[in-house]
Amino acid sequence: MDVSQYLEIFLDETNEHLQSLNTQILSLEQEPDNMDTINEIFRAAHSLKGMAGTMGYKRMQNLTHDMENVFSEVRNGNITVKANMIDILFQCLDALEEYNANIRESADEGTNDNEPLIKQLTDILKGGTGDVSEADEEETETESEETVQGAEEDESKKLLDITLGESEMTVLSEALKQGKQVYGLNVTVQESCILKAARAFLVFKAVEEYGEIIFSDPSAQDIEDEKFELDFSLIVVTDSALETILSGAKAVSEIEDVTGEVIDLDRAKALVKIDGETEKVHKDKKSVQEETKGKAPAKKESAKAKASKAETNAVASTGTAVAQQQTAASAKNEKKAAPSKPVVNRTVRVDIEKLDTLMNLVSELIIAKNSLVSASNTTEGKSNAEVNDQIEYLESVTTSLHESVMKVRMVPIESVVTKFPRMIRDLSKKLDKKMELYMSGEETELDRTVVDEIGDPLMHLLRNSADHGLESAEVRKERGKPEVGSIFLDAYQDGNNVVIEVRDDGNGIDTQAVKNKAIERGVITPEQAENMTEKEIIDLLFNAGFSTAKTVSDVSGRGVGLDVVKSKIESLSGEVEVKSKLGVGSTWIIRLPLTLAIIQALMVVVKDEKYAISLDSIQTIEDISVDEVKLVQNKEVIHLRGSVIPLIRLNEVLDIPEEGNPENLIVVIVKKGDRLAGLVVDELIGQQEIVIKSMGKYISKCKIISGATILGDGEVALILDANSLI
């Protein structure tokens, strides 16, 4: 069976387990004796091993199997957790991440066996349990071989428990007449196996590579539902040798043993005869584990196996059943051989209550639409006021629907930030600095499309804090600071925005050094430097290629990072600002919109063109007399409630000729962090909920236009990006 349809589920769950392992191993480093953490790591490794085995990723399965073995010994008290073990485990996680990335890209795990890592894990096992475990392993293998040698006798006893019906007997007889081989197999699953149905599916799959399964006991449906103890029996028609099929079935992980015997006509008749003598009782066995996604492949294959068996029985009487089925099986195997690149979609797991709310709102929307249609079609007895009431109701429902859809798209930023504690740990060792990362607000939710994009900018800022921000332990001691530096990552919702702050208690930004570097590189002139504010100097750090690092390291200092951070955040309609105090530390503040799809906007007119400005950017709207406009350094400003606010005439920015000299100006005051600016417009239309449409490549170089929207009358209005104007 092709398991590629389960690839998306596999990748999602693998990501979750890898995140869990990252967090748990970090905790284990702090508390090596915490049995709860050890058990969590064991379970995660065990689950990963089972999932990789189900999907057929042998290398990933082998590595997680060895990790599981190590933690099995840790749980039993035979091995103690040491620093070198933690380092090796993190290397294992990196290897698993590499497998996962390869699988996401091509559905193949790659060719890296990670033998050095597996050897290190084996060495840990030897150090904890001595050579006894190896001896035990060899003994087990010997016992297994002895079991195979005595398979016929043992298997005869197992197969005495099964009963063949007339249809199975017909197929079996026909196969023997055509010179086919018929084998009875008994498969035993390990007692510790969690996903028994998934293992059974893999055995079915392995056996069907060589022939056709014509009978299973328990039935395929019962095996699918895990209604069996630790073993099940199969009868297979094939051209292959018994040893070949046995080795193929045994290759499946968590299979304790597979034994088999040749079934001839006399043996088959004996199985049918017993059918009349013994009443066979099938009891439903309680599933030992709750149903998981890992069982899905088993369900699909079981149904397929049943359909295949039914087809076999139906055509057996024609005398050509087995031949036809072998041909079909060959064609099926040839078809499976064709590789295909996976199609992996990004998913959001949604609470069922959110979907219920969404469905209710859609129902309300239909009712509102019907009421509006009815009101507009029947003029008699309907006043404009009544129609307006229906329109207001419709607006209310659509607003609620928008909010509900937004909530469905929202995911916690936890999925992005969970990898950062591990990164800071590695940086601490690489930079030889003591540091701790403190995070809060991981449950804060953002639109999924935004969450996918903020990982790299946040990583740049954290690396910057670790490398540039925090001083060495010696310098910190001299300054009376704790030797261990602190980096904080805080996330919280602020109105219709999410704010993420990265701060540290390090050196802060030396504005004089930044200024000197900028003059040296020709970014600014000495005269410009004299008149620049501290904030303007700090903003120079966001220039492409600008760096104050004295030495170039592989952590930071190549001049790439902060410019990338700014461009990435602004592409998400967000903003980034810096607050710093020399000797105390720095705070990098990222402000992002909750959603990028639908916004509340103020519609304005410049000349004859309509434009939209996001309400989130707007502070106030003022009516200013022309006499109140002053010139400061040859730039227009206004004084408003104690603040000096620069004016931006949109007609000049948009290259629209000005007509007339109005006595009063309509000024929309917009904000970006602590900065304000006044946008001069000709006319206000009012507030409106708009749907943002991307401009694609049409206006790719014009940063002041962030998109477009279609108005109610079909006219297109451009959306102004206030951040780029300030």
Side-chain angles (χ1 to χ4, degrees), residues 525-580:
T525 63
E527 293 75 24
Q528 287 174 317
E530 288 298 322
N531 297 319
M532 290 180 75
T533 64
E534 186 175 284
K535 189 171 185 62
E536 287 171 333
I537 295 169
I538 290 174
D539 284 345
L540 291 172
L541 293 171
F542 291 108
N543 284 9
F546 190 89
S547 175
T548 58
K550 295 180 178 61
T551 58
V552 173
S553 70
D554 60 349
V555 176
S556 60
R558 295 186 182 274
V560 293
L562 293 182
D563 59 317
V564 173
V565 169
K566 188 178 184 193
S567 59
K568 174 63 75 175
I569 296 302
E570 288 185 348
S571 73
L572 297 170
S573 300
E575 60 187 44
V576 58
E577 63 173 316
V578 193
K579 293 180 180 177
S580 180

Side-chain angles (χ1 to χ4, degrees), residues 222-446:
D222 283 348
I223 292 175
E224 169 192 343
D225 295 334
E226 288 193 358
K227 293 177 181 176
F228 67 102
E229 292 291 348
L230 294 175
D231 65 336
F232 56 92
S233 298
L234 304 173
I235 292 181
V236 57
V237 174
T238 179
D239 287 321
S240 303
L242 176 58
E243 290 72 19
T244 305
I245 296 179
L246 289 176
S247 61
K250 284 178 184 176
V252 176
S253 63
E254 295 190 294
I255 295 299
E256 185 73 34
D257 196 14
V258 184
T259 55
E261 69 163 303
V262 177
I263 296 182
D264 55 20
L265 202 55
D266 292 337
R267 181 78 176 93
K269 287 177 179 176
L271 293 175
V272 175
K273 181 182 177 184
I274 291 173
D275 190 23
E277 297 174 354
T278 309
E279 182 182 357
K280 191 171 180 344
V281 181
H282 291 284
K283 294 184 179 179
D284 287 352
K285 309 296 189 296
K286 185 178 180 183
S287 178
V288 295
Q289 290 290 333
E290 64 179 7
E291 196 165 322
T292 65
K293 291 184 179 69
K295 285 170 57 179
K299 290 188 176 182
K300 294 278 184 183
E301 184 64 16
S302 298
K304 186 174 173 184
K306 286 198 296 181
S308 177
K309 173 183 160 186
E311 183 184 21
T312 305
N313 296 341
V315 298
S317 57
T318 65
T320 58
V322 177
Q324 287 180 14
Q325 291 214 334
Q326 292 302 320
T327 305
S330 301
K332 180 179 71 176
N333 291 336
E334 286 174 12
K335 186 178 179 182
K336 278 194 286 188
S340 60
K341 187 168 181 178
V343 179
V344 180
N345 299 316
R346 293 178 300 174
T347 59
V348 179
R349 294 186 181 182
V350 183
D351 190 304
I352 192 68
E353 289 183 5
K354 290 182 180 178
L355 292 178
D356 288 342
T357 304
L358 196 60
M359 184 57 71
N360 290 336
L361 286 169
V362 171
S363 304
E364 290 290 326
L365 192 62
I366 293 169
I367 294 168
K369 181 203 72 174
N370 293 340
S371 300
L372 191 59
V373 170
S374 175
S376 60
N377 289 341
T378 312
T379 53
E380 236 179 283
K382 293 281 183 183
S383 65
N384 286 337
E386 288 174 314
V387 174
N388 289 338
D389 285 344
Q390 295 297 335
I391 291 172
E392 285 180 14
Y393 176 51
L394 187 61
E395 284 183 351
S396 170
V397 174
T398 51
T399 301
S400 298
L401 186 61
H402 165 222
E403 291 173 356
S404 185
V405 171
M406 268 179 56
K407 287 176 183 174
V408 169
R409 289 175 57 87
M410 304 288 262
V411 292
I413 65 166
E414 183 180 16
S415 59
V416 173
V417 303
T418 47
K419 61 185 176 185
F420 294 145
R422 158 80 189 285
M423 184 184 78
I424 294 298
R425 172 196 179 272
D426 292 346
L427 285 176
S428 178
K429 293 196 170 189
K430 187 178 289 187
L431 299 169
D432 195 23
K433 292 181 183 178
K434 294 179 180 178
M435 60 184 78
E436 286 287 343
L437 175 64
Y438 302 93
M439 298 196 302
S440 68
E442 298 99 315
E443 70 286 349
T444 306
E445 292 187 325
L446 257 176

Side-chain angles (χ1 to χ4, degrees), residues 14-32 34 36-42 44-45 48 67 71 81 86 89-90 93-94 96-97 413-426 436-437 439 442:
T14 300
N15 281 332
E16 287 182 10
H17 286 305
L18 289 176
Q19 285 178 11
S20 172
L21 280 170
N22 239 320
T23 306
Q24 298 298 338
I25 294 172
L26 278 171
S27 301
L28 187 66
E29 189 172 33
Q30 305 299 321
E31 300 179 74
N34 190 320
D36 288 340
T37 304
I38 291 167
N39 287 330
E40 282 294 327
I41 295 171
F42 175 82
L48 270 176
M67 288 175 67
F71 274 92
V81 176
I86 298 293
L89 288 171
F90 276 129
L93 283 191
D94 292 339
L96 292 173
E97 292 276 11
I413 65 166
E414 183 180 16
S415 59
V416 173
V417 303
T418 47
K419 61 185 176 185
F420 294 145
R422 158 80 189 285
M423 184 184 78
I424 294 298
R425 172 196 179 272
D426 292 346
E436 286 287 343
L437 175 64
M439 298 196 302
E442 298 99 315

Side-chain angles (χ1 to χ4, degrees), residues 36 77 101 198 212 234 276 471 480 552 598 615 680:
D36 288 340
E212 196 72 27
L234 304 173
E471 314 95 328
V552 173
I598 303 172
L615 278 187
V680 180

Side-chain angles (χ1 to χ4, degrees), residues 487-633:
I487 300 175
F488 301 86
L489 191 147
D490 305 316
Y492 56 90
Q493 189 171 333
D494 180 21
N496 288 323
N497 293 290
V498 165
V499 179
I500 304 174
E501 294 183 2
V502 175
R503 53 194 173 93
D504 61 68
D505 64 349
N507 187 58
I509 297 171
D510 186 343
T511 51
Q512 190 59 46
V514 174
K515 190 190 295 185
N516 294 340
K517 191 75 173 181
I519 295 171
E520 179 190 322
R521 300 193 59 169
V523 178
I524 56 172
T525 63
E527 293 75 24
Q528 287 174 317
E530 288 298 322
N531 297 319
M532 290 180 75
T533 64
E534 186 175 284
K535 189 171 185 62
E536 287 171 333
I537 295 169
I538 290 174
D539 284 345
L540 291 172
L541 293 171
F542 291 108
N543 284 9
F546 190 89
S547 175
T548 58
K550 295 180 178 61
T551 58
V552 173
S553 70
D554 60 349
V555 176
S556 60
R558 295 186 182 274
V560 293
L562 293 182
D563 59 317
V564 173
V565 169
K566 188 178 184 193
S567 59
K568 174 63 75 175
I569 296 302
E570 288 185 348
S571 73
L572 297 170
S573 300
E575 60 187 44
V576 58
E577 63 173 316
V578 193
K579 293 180 180 177
S580 180
K581 189 171 181 182
L582 193 61
V584 177
S586 305
T587 301
W588 306 77
I589 304 165
I590 293 174
R591 189 177 297 273
L592 293 160
L594 283 174
T595 180
L596 303 178
I598 303 172
I599 61 169
Q600 293 288 339
L602 174 69
M603 302 303 300
V604 300
V605 176
V606 180
K607 189 69 182 295
D608 297 324
E609 297 292 333
K610 294 176 183 176
Y611 295 91
I613 305 170
S614 171
L615 278 187
D616 290 338
S617 305
I618 298 174
Q619 184 92 343
T620 59
I621 299 172
E622 304 289 340
D623 194 6
I624 303 293
S625 170
V626 174
D627 299 335
E628 296 178 45
V629 179
K630 309 296 180 186
L631 286 178
V632 175
Q633 295 182 357

Side-chain angles (χ1 to χ4, degrees), residues 635-700:
K635 293 180 181 177
E636 288 185 319
V637 299
I638 56 172
H639 288 270
L640 186 67
R641 291 182 280 279
S643 299
V644 177
I645 301 173
L647 277 188
I648 299 171
R649 293 185 180 263
L650 286 181
N651 65 298
E652 294 177 5
V653 174
L654 299 167
D655 198 20
I656 299 172
E658 185 177 8
E659 290 183 359
N661 294 303
E663 294 182 2
N664 291 321
L665 302 177
I666 301 172
V667 181
V668 179
I669 308 295
V670 293
K671 66 180 186 298
K672 177 185 179 181
D674 296 334
R675 285 184 285 175
L676 298 173
L679 308 182
V680 180
V681 301
D682 294 340
E683 187 183 337
L684 300 174
I685 298 176
Q687 179 181 334
Q688 191 172 325
E689 191 173 56
I690 62 171
V691 178
I692 300 176
K693 298 291 184 184
S694 171
M695 294 297 295
K697 297 178 182 177
Y698 295 108
I699 311 183
S700 57

Side-chain angles (χ1 to χ4, degrees), residues 131-155:
D131 295 330
V132 180
S133 61
E134 272 191 3
D136 288 345
E137 206 170 297
E138 289 171 9
E139 188 179 330
T140 304
E141 288 175 7
T142 307
E143 287 174 2
S144 179
E145 288 171 12
E146 289 170 358
T147 306
V148 174
Q149 291 168 3
E152 189 169 336
E153 183 182 345
D154 292 342
E155 183 59 17

